Amino acid sequence: MLGRFVVRHGSREIVRFRTQKTGALLACLARHRGRSHARDALIERFWPDSDLKAARSNLSVALNALRRQLEPPGFAAGDVLVADHARVSLNPAAFTTDIEEFEGALHAAEAGVGAPAAAWAVAVDLYGGDLLPGLYDDWVLAERDRLRDAWVAALRQAVRALSEGGEPERALGYAHRLAQADPFEEASHLALVRLYLEVGRPQDGLRHYREMERLLREELRVEPSETARALAARLRAVRPASRPPVPAAPPPSAPAPEGRDRKTRPRPDVPQPFNRFFGRAEEIAHLTGLLAPPDAGPPPRLVPPTGPGGAGKTRLAVEVATRAGVEAFPGGLWFVPLSALDDPLRLGEAIRDALDLPRSAGGSNGRPALDEVAAFLNALPGGAALLLILDNFEQIAAGGAPVVWTLLSRVPALCCLVTSRRPLSLPGEHDVPMPPLPTPDERPDTPLDVLAAVPSVALFVDRAQAVRPEFQITPRNAAEVAALCRELEGIPLAIELVAARARMLTPAQMRARLAERFDLLSSRRAADRADRHGSLWAALDWSYHLLSPGLRRLFAHLSVFRGGWTLEAAAGVAGGEDGGTSDPADALADSLALLRAHSLIHAAESSEAIRFGMLETVRAFAAEQLTSEEGAEVARRHAVYFREWAASADLTGPARNPWFQRFEEEFDNLRAVLTWSLRPGEGDAVVDGLRTAVALGSFWWLRGHHSEGRRWFARLLEAAGDAAPPETPGLGRSLRVAGTLAYFQGDYDAARSLLERCLAVAEAVGDEPLRGAAHETLGSAAYRQGDYARARAHYDLALACARAQGNAANTASVLGNLANVAQSTGDFDTSRALNEESLAIWRARGERNGEARTLHNLAHLVQSQGRFAEARAYYEQGLAIHREVEDRFGMGNTLRGLAEVAIAQGDFAAAGAHVRESLALARELAARPSLVEVVRTLADLARAAGALEAAAQAAGALERAREEMHYPLPPVDRETYAREQAFLRDSLGEAAFAASKAEGGGLSLEQIVVLLERALEERSL
C-alpha cells in the first residue's frame, strides 16, 4: 500500500481491480485490519450519491469481483473475504500489510529496541512511498500525510543516530533522502552539508549548499540563514589535501563534452515497464550471465537478442538490463529507441540524445555526433563497463551495423545489447535467439495451478485481467485458454492482442474467431514476408477485423505517424477525405480509446497532452492495410497538417519555449514531412519542404539542431537546384536560415556563401526585408571574424533597408550591431549613442527581448571603461528581462557579463555562480562561440583566484579554438589580453608558461572546462 497498491500471494500479484472504487474498498478493508464494517457504512463512504438500491448492488458487485480475485480456485469462500448480509471484513489471519510493518518498526525504534541507528534505518527502509498513490479519498489523504510525516521524522532520527554512532558515510545516504523528502526545510539540507564536511568532502558540501541556496531563492524567495552562511564559510576555508591530475585526452576519440550530472554514477536509464514480465527465465539467466559473468571476466561486446516482431525482445532487454544494473555496468546503462529512425546516418545522433549530451555545433569546425558519444563514454571515470541497448535495430541494420562496429572499436569499455529481427553479422557478435514463450501441453487433466504457471498462460491471464480484473482460470475455461496459447504459438504480442478482448469475449469465442483469420491467412501465404510470424500476423489480422469499418480505417491511417501523435494531429490527418475528421473530437477520442483497449496503440502523458503511438510491428501491419493510393493520400495529408502546424507556431517571447518543446515531441513527424517533400513526382513538395524547414529556423539554431538543420537545407536546396529561379517560393528565406545556421556554428565561409546567394535572390525579386536580413547576418559573420570595416558596410546597408521600409524593429537591431562595431574599434561615444537610440526604439515598441539585448550592450560598453557598478546594474536589468521572456542565449551572455564584473570587483563566489550557469546554458544550446567566451571568463576567474597554471593552459586551448573557428579576439580586447598573458608569463616563468600553454593547446574546450572546474574547486569556488 506504500508506494503502490498491490496484493501478493506467492508469485502472484494483483494490481488491477474491476473499478477504482473496488480497489479503494479493498484498501479500506485492509487498512483497518481486524475491523468489521457495516455494509451501510461502506455504502455511505463509497457510493454516497447513489440511491440505496443501486448502492447496495454496487457493493455486492464489487465484493463478488474481489472474492474472485482474492479466493481463486483452491480457496474456500471466506478464507480471505468475510461477508454476510450486514457486515464485511477481511480475515486478519489471511494477510498483513506494509503499513503495519512500517509502524511496527517505528514503535520498536521509539521504544529503544536494538541499536538506535539500525532500528531507525530499518523503519525508514520499510517506507516504500506515499500511501495509495492515485487515490484521493479523504481518509486516504489524511493517512497519507500522517505516514509521510512519520517517515520524514524517522529519516531525521536515522541521520542523527548514524552520525552520532560513528557512521557518517552511511548517514550521508539517509541525509540525501531527507533533503529530497523535505526540500524546503533548510535544516534538512544543512544536515547533509555538515556530513559532507565531516567525511572530508567540502567541495561536495559546497555544491549542495549552492543548490540549496538556489532552491530557497527561486521557490521561497528567502536567503539562507546566518547559520547556513557560516557553515558555507567553513566549507570554503577547507583546502583539499592534493590536486587531482589533469584529464588526458582519451585516444583515439576527441575529448568528451560535459553534459548534465556527469560527476555522479549513472543510474540505469531504461524505460520503466507498466506491466509484469512472464517467463523467459532461461533467456534471462543466459543473457545476465553473458553481461555479468560470474567469474568477473569481460562480457561479450555485442549481444543481439533476435527474433520475429512481437517476440518480446525489447521487454527482455529491459528486464535483463534492469537486473544487471549498475553492478554489472557501473559506468552507465542507457536505452536508445530506434523504431522511428530510418536513416542509419542519424544513429550517432540518436545515441547522443539518449545519453542526454548537449548537441554540439557540428559542421566543418565541429564533430560528428558519434565522435561526441565516443568521447563522452571514454571520458567517464575509471574505465568502468558501459551498456547501450539499441532497440528495434532491424530497419537500419545494413547501414547501422558499421556504426555500431566503429563505436565498439573506439570505446573499449562498451557493450551493446541490440534487439533486432536478424543478427548484425559483425565479428564477435553473440547472437541470442528469442524462442516463443512455453505453451501448455495438451493433457486435459493438468491441475489449474500448474497450468496458470506456464508463462504463456500467465501472460494471457495477466493481460485479460487488465480489462476484466476478476478473470481467472477455472475448470470451465482452462482447456480453451491452453488451446489459445498453443495456437498463438507463445508469441507475446499475439497473446496480448487476443487477451485484450477478454472484456467482451470468452476464451472459446476468441478461439472460434481467431480460427477464421488463420484460415484466411493460410490462403495468402505466398505474400507473407520471411520475417513475419504467422500467429502474430493472424492475431493482428483477427483483432483488426473485429474493429468496426471506421475504426479499421482510422487504425490504418494512423500508421503514417512517426514517433507518435496527439488527438489534434489524428483529427487533422487520419480523418475524412478532406483531411479532417468527420467525427467530433469526443468521438475520435473514444475511437482512440477503443484502439488502445484492444492493445493496438499505446498512450502516455507528454508535456502538454496525451501522446499515442504504435509498436513498430503493429505500425507495419497497419500500413499494409492501405492501398498505394490511400497511403499516398494519407502521407500528403500528414505533410500538409504538420507543415501548416509548424507555420502557425508563435516563436516570439514566452510562447517560444512551449512551441520548441512541441517541435521536439513531433520531431520524427517533422522529419517524415521533410523526407516526403524530397520524393520524386510530388509536384511542389520541395517548395513546401523549404517552407517547413524555414518555419523551424529558430528551433534549429536555438535548440542546437544546427547540423541536422543544415543537412535538411542542403538536401532541399539541392533538390530545388542551383538554377532554381529566384522567385521560387521559400528559396531566399531558406538560404538565409541555412546561412544563419552556418554562422551559429562558426562556419563563416559557408555562411557567407549561402547569405550572398540569399542576397542575390532578394535583389532579383525585390524583397527588401530579406535583403536587409541577409546584409545584417553577413555583417555579423564579418564582425565575428574581426573584419570590422566589412561588418560596418553590411550593417549600413541593412540599416538603410530597415529605415526605407519603416521597420523600427530591424532598425533597432542593426543600430545595436553598429554599436558593437563602434565599441570593438574603441569609439565608445558613438557606441553609447547608437545603443541609446536602439534602446529608445525597443522601449517605445514594448519589445522586451530587444530592450534586454541593448541593456547588455550598454553594460559591456561601460564595463570596458571600468565603470563596474553601472555595468552590473545594466546587466541585472537585462537578465531580469531575459528570464522573463525565456531567452536562453541572452541569459547566458548576460550571466557571463555579470561574472566578469564580479571578478573585477573581487567577488569570486558570485562570479563562479554566474559563470557556471552561463556554461550550462552554452552547453544546452550547443553554441560554440558562446562556449569560447564562457571558457575565457572561467579562465579569468581561475587567474584571479591564483590558479595560474590552469589559466595558462586555458589560453592555449582558446587560441587554438579561435584559430579553428576563424573567430579572433576583438581588437579592443587585445591589449588587455596581452597584459594578462604577460602577468602569467612573469608569475610562472617563461618555461613553465610556455609548457602550460602548449599543453592547453592540445586540449579541447570541453577538457579545459573540466580542468578549470577542478582548479576552482580546489579553491572552494
Side-chain angles (χ1 to χ4, degrees), residues 437-443 446 450-451 454-457 478 481-486:
L437 289 174
T439 58
D441 58 36
E442 297 187 27
R443 289 188 306 162
T446 303
V450 174
L451 180 62
V454 176
S456 58
V457 175
V481 170
L484 262 177
C485 292
R486 287 193 298 271

Side-chain angles (χ1 to χ4, degrees), residues 867-957:
R867 293 147 59 186
F868 299 119
E870 189 179 353
R872 178 177 176 179
Y874 278 133
Y875 279 135
E876 287 176 344
Q877 291 178 57
L879 181 60
I881 298 173
H882 285 311
R883 292 194 191 280
E884 173 191 326
V885 300
E886 300 184 24
D887 179 354
R888 305 183 82 72
F889 265 113
M891 287 163 57
N893 289 336
T894 304
L895 284 161
R896 182 169 48 79
L898 279 167
E900 291 167 351
V901 168
I903 293 170
Q905 294 180 316
D907 189 351
F908 296 162
H914 292 318
V915 75
R916 286 186 177 92
E917 188 177 353
S918 180
L919 175 63
L921 288 164
R923 285 169 172 163
E924 179 183 334
L925 296 167
R928 193 165 173 80
S930 295
L931 184 59
V932 167
E933 300 301 338
V934 174
V935 172
R936 179 184 170 190
T937 304
L938 266 174
D940 287 346
L941 178 57
R943 177 178 47 78
L948 305 184
E949 183 181 346
Q953 290 169 321

Side-chain angles (χ1 to χ4, degrees), residues 365 746 748 783-786 788 896 900 928-937 940 954-971 973-974 977 980 1003 1005:
N365 298 311
Y748 300 120
Y783 174 77
R784 286 287 194 181
Q785 294 183 283
Y788 299 124
R896 182 169 48 79
E900 291 167 351
R928 193 165 173 80
S930 295
L931 184 59
V932 167
E933 300 301 338
V934 174
V935 172
R936 179 184 170 190
T937 304
D940 287 346
L958 284 167
E959 287 180 7
R960 190 187 96 174
R962 288 186 183 277
E963 182 179 352
E964 288 177 349
M965 295 172 61
H966 308 293
Y967 179 48
L969 193 70
D973 292 338
R974 290 173 189 171
Y977 180 72
E980 293 167 353
L1003 300 177
L1005 290 179

Side-chain angles (χ1 to χ4, degrees), residues 177-449:
R177 294 166 69 180
L178 177 61
Q180 292 169 354
D182 200 10
F184 301 121
E185 177 59 54
E186 184 186 80
S188 301
H189 293 283
L190 295 188
L192 176 57
V193 173
R194 289 189 182 97
L195 282 167
Y196 272 132
L197 185 60
E198 184 178 348
V199 301
R201 294 167 58 185
Q203 287 78 24
D204 290 332
L206 196 56
R207 270 194 292 272
H208 189 82
Y209 174 84
R210 291 180 184 132
E211 178 60 25
M212 177 200 76
E213 185 178 46
R214 182 196 62 78
L215 184 70
L216 294 177
R217 285 173 177 169
E218 291 183 2
E219 300 297 334
L220 301 182
R221 300 291 189 268
V222 299
E223 294 293 323
S225 66
E226 184 175 341
T227 299
R229 293 196 297 273
L231 180 58
R234 287 178 59 197
L235 290 167
R236 293 190 182 99
V238 177
R239 291 287 183 267
S242 63
R243 175 178 178 168
V246 173
S253 303
E258 285 288 295
R260 292 179 275 280
D261 299 321
R262 297 292 174 238
K263 297 180 182 177
T264 58
R265 188 166 93 166
R267 296 179 295 108
D269 189 6
V270 296
Q272 296 302 305
F274 292 100
N275 45 36
R276 296 175 63 201
F277 187 74
F278 293 91
R280 304 292 188 202
E282 184 177 335
E283 290 87 350
I284 289 173
H286 180 49
L287 273 170
T288 303
L290 285 174
L291 296 174
D295 59 359
R301 305 287 308 286
L302 178 61
V303 181
T306 57
K313 301 182 292 295
T314 299
R315 187 61 194 275
L316 175 68
V318 168
E319 192 74 18
V320 168
T322 301
R323 296 189 186 197
V326 294
E327 289 73 22
F329 297 98
L333 189 161
W334 297 270
F335 182 86
V336 186
L338 302 174
S339 60
L341 192 70
D342 55 10
D343 181 0
L345 296 177
R346 287 185 21 238
L347 177 57
E349 296 174 12
I351 299 173
R352 176 198 61 196
D353 291 346
L355 296 179
D356 199 25
L357 294 175
R359 301 178 181 93
S360 79
S364 63
N365 298 311
R367 292 181 294 161
L370 195 69
D371 287 357
E372 299 176 31
V373 169
F376 165 68
L377 294 176
N378 276 324
L380 289 171
L386 312 158
L387 180 68
L388 289 181
I389 303 173
L390 305 177
D391 186 51
N392 279 301
F393 199 80
E394 54 272 355
Q395 71 269 21
I396 60 165
V403 178
V404 174
W405 177 248
T406 299
L407 188 59
L408 288 169
S409 301
R410 295 171 63 180
V411 185
L414 178 64
C415 299
C416 287
L417 191 62
V418 184
T419 69
S420 179
R421 296 187 190 179
R422 56 185 182 273
L424 277 65
S425 302
L426 291 173
E429 184 175 16
H430 198 114
D431 184 21
V432 180
M434 283 278 293
L437 289 174
T439 58
D441 58 36
E442 297 187 27
R443 289 188 306 162
D445 57 345
T446 303
L448 294 183
D449 58 340

Side-chain angles (χ1 to χ4, degrees), residues 949 952-953 955-957 959 977 981 985 992-1002:
E949 183 181 346
Q953 290 169 321
E959 287 180 7
Y977 180 72
Q981 296 300 287
R985 185 182 297 107
F993 172 74
S996 295
K997 196 168 180 180
E999 182 181 358

Side-chain angles (χ1 to χ4, degrees), residues 307-314 339 392 394-395 420-421 491 493-494 497 529 531-533 535-538 540-541 555 559 599-600 602 613-625:
K313 301 182 292 295
T314 299
S339 60
N392 279 301
E394 54 272 355
Q395 71 269 21
S420 179
R421 296 187 190 179
I491 298 296
L493 180 56
L497 288 166
R529 288 173 17 207
D531 63 352
R532 177 182 302 164
H533 202 289
S535 62
L536 172 59
W537 228 248
L540 283 165
D541 192 64
F555 172 64
S559 67
S599 294
L600 291 170
H602 53 80
M614 288 182 183
L615 292 175
E616 183 58 25
T617 302
V618 178
R619 196 195 68 78
F621 173 87
E624 286 195 10
Q625 312 313 307

Side-chain angles (χ1 to χ4, degrees), residues 473-816:
I473 295 182
T474 66
R476 177 180 295 180
N477 66 18
E480 299 291 349
V481 170
L484 262 177
C485 292
R486 287 193 298 271
E487 290 163 4
L488 294 171
E489 300 176 277
I491 298 296
L493 180 56
I495 292 171
E496 294 193 23
L497 288 166
V498 173
R501 297 287 179 171
R503 184 189 298 276
M504 302 300 297
L505 300 174
T506 66
Q509 290 173 313
M510 293 178 193
R511 283 192 69 204
R513 298 196 181 194
L514 187 61
E516 299 173 5
R517 305 319 305 169
F518 272 117
D519 292 341
L520 178 61
L521 285 171
S522 66
S523 66
R524 300 179 183 168
R525 196 169 300 160
D528 281 354
R529 288 173 17 207
D531 63 352
R532 177 182 302 164
H533 202 289
S535 62
L536 172 59
W537 228 248
L540 283 165
D541 192 64
W542 170 68
S543 191
Y544 171 73
H545 281 90
L546 285 177
L547 302 173
S548 67
L551 274 180
R552 288 202 295 268
R553 181 172 176 275
L554 174 63
F555 172 64
H557 285 195
L558 291 172
S559 67
V560 74
F561 290 104
R562 296 292 188 274
W565 67 88
T566 62
L567 177 63
E568 292 74 14
V573 175
E577 294 298 328
D578 59 354
T581 178
S582 56
D583 296 329
D586 287 348
L588 179 60
D590 291 343
S591 297
L592 292 172
L594 285 171
L595 291 175
R596 184 185 181 193
H598 296 155
S599 294
L600 291 170
I601 66 174
H602 53 80
E605 188 170 350
S606 68
S607 59
E608 292 186 340
I610 299 295
R611 285 189 67 78
F612 302 89
M614 288 182 183
L615 292 175
E616 183 58 25
T617 302
V618 178
R619 196 195 68 78
F621 173 87
E624 286 195 10
Q625 312 313 307
L626 296 170
T627 66
S628 58
E629 293 79 9
E630 288 174 327
E633 173 58 21
V634 175
R636 184 194 67 79
R637 293 209 304 260
H638 178 270
V640 169
Y641 173 82
F642 279 105
R643 183 177 69 245
E644 294 177 351
W645 176 79
S648 72
D650 178 6
L651 301 182
T652 61
R656 184 172 63 195
N657 275 356
W659 266 106
F660 281 179
Q661 181 59 37
R662 295 177 197 123
F663 283 169
E664 292 281 6
E665 290 174 349
E666 300 293 0
F667 212 172
D668 287 321
N669 281 310
L670 293 166
R671 287 171 174 139
V673 170
L674 295 171
T675 301
W676 177 86
S677 69
L678 291 165
R679 292 172 57 185
E682 295 295 345
D684 294 332
V686 171
V687 170
D688 291 336
L690 288 170
R691 287 171 169 164
T692 302
V694 168
L696 297 172
S698 58
F699 169 71
W700 296 123
W701 67 65
L702 290 176
R703 278 298 176 98
H705 297 285
H706 304 94
S707 297
E708 181 168 355
R710 290 184 69 184
R711 283 200 303 272
W712 282 115
F713 277 113
R715 294 175 65 187
L716 289 162
L717 289 168
E718 181 183 8
D722 290 338
E727 60 272 15
T728 301
L731 176 61
R733 278 164 176 73
S734 294
L735 290 164
R736 189 233 167 176
V737 176
T740 304
L741 287 171
Y743 162 75
F744 271 103
Q745 289 189 302
D747 190 355
Y748 300 120
D749 292 339
R752 187 181 306 111
S753 175
L754 288 161
L755 290 164
E756 285 174 350
R757 187 180 167 197
C758 168
L759 190 58
V761 169
E763 290 173 345
V765 299
D767 189 335
E768 286 300 295
L770 182 60
R771 190 169 76 90
H775 274 303
E776 185 170 11
T777 312
L778 279 165
S780 295
Y783 174 77
R784 286 287 194 181
Q785 294 183 283
D787 190 343
Y788 299 124
R790 187 154 54 92
R792 183 182 289 110
H794 280 300
Y795 286 147
D796 285 341
L797 290 168
L799 183 60
C801 286
R803 284 183 164 155
Q805 299 155 34
N807 190 318
N810 286 357
T811 298
S813 177
V814 180
L815 287 169

